């Protein structure tokens, strides 16, 4: 919007090409039209922009997006496994209603945690949204 609505141009007066419009570190034409204070702030986000670009390219060209439906806290893992064993026994006994009841109880232990990692083999960094603060965080 900044580039289009305000008619921002490069230093030589030519229009900024559409493919050069962005806030990332490679978008020097657009960044140079912003206040120095904002440019300095964006510089602190260069690592995040690089990671985001890497993630975007992986998702767009190579690796399908998968977001786990829920996660289980370590403290709840034994109970989760216990429910799994009881559910298997209910199936063996053809107690389908009991299986459904146990499955519903087991799901209550899970917590939704939206995160994505573009590759487990290429050293990809996990990105998650903090559900309490609505910020994107990197998990190390």
């Amino acid at each position: 919007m900044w580039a289009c609505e305000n008619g921002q141009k490069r230093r030589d007066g030519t229009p900024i090409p559409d493919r050069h419009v962005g806030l990332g570190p490679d978008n020097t034409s657009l960044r140079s039209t912003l206040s120095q204070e904002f440019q300095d702030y964006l510089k602190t986000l260069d690592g995040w922009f690089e990671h985001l670009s890497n993630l975007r390219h992986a998702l767009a060209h190579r690796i399908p997006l998968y977001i786990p439906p829920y996660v289980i806290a370590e403290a709840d893992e034994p109970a989760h496994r216990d429910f799994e064993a009881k559910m298997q026994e209910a199936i063996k006994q053809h107690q389908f209603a009991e299986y459904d009841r146990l499955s519903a109880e087991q799901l209550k232990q899970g917590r939704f945690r939206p995160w994505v990692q573009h590759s487990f083999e290429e050293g990809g960094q996990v990105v998650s949204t903090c559900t309490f603060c609505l910020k994107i965080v990197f998990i190390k």
Side-chain angles (χ1 to χ4, degrees):
M1 290 177 54
W2 173 254
C4 294
E5 290 184 7
N6 293 315
Q8 297 300 324
K9 301 196 181 319
R10 295 190 221 185
R11 291 177 200 254
D12 65 4
T14 60
I16 298 172
D18 290 345
R19 294 186 58 114
H20 293 193
V21 174
L23 297 176
D26 294 335
N27 302 107
T28 56
S29 294
L30 183 80
R31 273 193 180 191
S32 68
T33 68
L34 303 170
S35 71
Q36 188 60 51
E37 181 182 15
F38 194 41
Q39 288 181 52
D40 293 343
Y41 172 70
L42 289 174
K43 187 106 178 114
T44 68
L45 300 176
D46 282 353
W48 182 80
F49 280 115
E50 181 181 331
H51 175 72
L52 192 62
S53 176
N54 189 3
L55 180 65
R56 181 255 176 239
H57 292 305
L59 287 172
H61 304 292
R62 302 184 300 133
I63 301 167
L65 177 64
Y66 172 73
I67 299 175
Y70 60 88
V71 296
I72 301 295
E74 280 188 54
D76 294 332
E77 188 177 352
H80 188 79
R81 291 184 187 278
D82 187 49
F83 273 112
E84 194 67 38
K86 289 176 181 176
M87 289 162 58
Q88 291 299 320
E89 188 57 37
I91 287 290
K92 287 180 188 175
Q93 301 297 323
H94 298 247
Q95 298 173 344
F96 303 114
E98 178 64 1
Y99 174 89
D100 289 342
R101 185 191 72 74
L102 291 166
S103 180
E105 286 297 314
Q106 184 188 43
L107 282 175
K108 289 179 184 177
Q109 296 176 318
R111 301 288 179 262
F112 179 64
R113 176 92 186 252
W115 61 2
V116 64
Q117 180 174 352
H118 83 77
S119 174
F120 294 101
E121 297 174 358
E122 297 174 12
Q125 193 174 16
V126 174
V127 178
S128 177
T129 58
C130 173
T131 55
F132 299 108
C133 57
L134 299 177
K135 291 183 179 179
I136 295 176
V137 295
F138 297 114
I139 301 173
K140 296 184 181 189

